[in-house]
Amino acid sequence: MKGSTLAMNKNKFVYTAFLAIAFAATFSACKDKRSTGLEYARNMYDPIAYNPDQPNKNFKDGKTAQLPPAHTKPVGFTEYDEYPNTKEGYEAAGVSMVNPLPVDTVNLAQGKHLFTVFCSPCHGEKGDGQGHLVKIEKFSGVPSYFSGSSSRGGDMKALTAGKIYHTITYGVNNMGSHASQISPTDRWKVVMYVQELQKQQ
């Protein structure tokens, strides 16, 4: 009898203590109406890094956004980006840019795949300018690589690797830029395959 009374008293004490703690926690949480309560892992809420527009005591000028050091190149910049999206840039690319990739079966196969995915809907799988979107009249005036004329002058079959690369990068007329979709290396593979299509009769 005595043991069961002690156990009951102990349970009452634990229960009462739990209620008291819960009441205190609830009361203290409601004290500050602006408080969001306890937060764990503060770094997940407040990033350690500075935002570009924030003041920054780590630099002499107090700015977070700094100009890049002299004679450096941004991440992702390639030498080919030196040719701007202008007529002059297009012509300069046509003269100076040379495909750095070897012409082999692997690069040609990958170029064909990329061409089929990104280019053939307009240019056609054979490069004849009769892609699906042309056939359903979504676009018109897409020239053939082996018999058409370029809107910038000259025959399509005479376009150099640099001019084709420049056009893939920046687009022309209804064709938009593919720079965000096709990496510089893959662009050269597409160029390689297009130059194979130029040779058709």
Side-chain angles (χ1 to χ4, degrees), residues 52-105:
D53 58 346
Q54 281 182 313
N56 192 325
K57 62 185 177 185
N58 297 303
F59 297 107
K60 286 181 182 177
D61 62 1
K63 296 177 182 176
T64 296
Q66 297 288 309
L67 292 173
H71 312 297
T72 59
K73 293 178 181 176
V75 173
F77 179 89
T78 67
E79 298 299 327
Y80 310 124
D81 294 330
E82 293 176 1
Y83 299 94
N85 185 18
T86 61
K87 176 72 171 168
E88 293 74 25
Y90 171 76
E91 295 297 339
V95 173
S96 304
M97 293 177 76
V98 178
N99 196 332
L101 303 179
V103 179
D104 57 32
T105 54

Side-chain angles (χ1 to χ4, degrees), residues 17-31 37-38:
F18 175 77
L19 285 177
I21 291 169
F23 178 76
T26 304
F27 182 73
S28 63
C30 296
K31 200 163 154 185
L38 293 175

Side-chain angles (χ1 to χ4, degrees), residues 8-178:
M8 283 176 66
N9 287 340
K10 188 176 178 183
N11 286 342
K12 275 186 183 178
F13 175 76
V14 170
Y15 181 69
T16 305
F18 175 77
L19 285 177
I21 291 169
F23 178 76
T26 304
F27 182 73
S28 63
C30 296
K31 200 163 154 185
D32 183 0
K33 299 292 183 192
R34 292 177 301 169
S35 172
T36 56
L38 293 175
E39 292 178 323
Y40 300 96
R42 280 300 318 162
N43 291 347
M44 294 180 72
Y45 298 95
D46 298 329
I48 298 171
Y50 288 92
N51 289 325
D53 58 346
Q54 281 182 313
N56 192 325
K57 62 185 177 185
N58 297 303
F59 297 107
K60 286 181 182 177
D61 62 1
K63 296 177 182 176
T64 296
Q66 297 288 309
L67 292 173
H71 312 297
T72 59
K73 293 178 181 176
V75 173
F77 179 89
T78 67
E79 298 299 327
Y80 310 124
D81 294 330
E82 293 176 1
Y83 299 94
N85 185 18
T86 61
K87 176 72 171 168
E88 293 74 25
Y90 171 76
E91 295 297 339
V95 173
S96 304
M97 293 177 76
V98 178
N99 196 332
L101 303 179
V103 179
D104 57 32
T105 54
V106 174
N107 284 332
L108 275 171
Q110 291 175 354
K112 180 179 181 180
H113 171 72
L114 291 163
F115 179 88
T116 302
V117 171
F118 293 104
C119 312
S120 69
C122 292
H123 290 280
E125 290 188 16
K126 297 176 183 177
D128 56 4
Q130 293 301 306
H132 173 71
L133 295 178
V134 174
K135 288 178 180 176
I136 63 171
E137 299 181 352
K138 290 290 181 185
F139 293 105
S140 62
V142 180
S144 163
Y145 287 126
F146 47 87
S147 62
S149 298
S150 170
S151 63
R152 293 190 267 200
D155 293 334
M156 290 292 287
K157 65 182 178 183
L159 290 180
T160 63
K163 286 182 175 181
I164 299 169
Y165 183 97
H166 189 277
T167 303
I168 294 170
T169 302
Y170 294 111
V172 64
N173 301 328
N174 286 332
M175 176 181 161
S177 167
H178 285 66

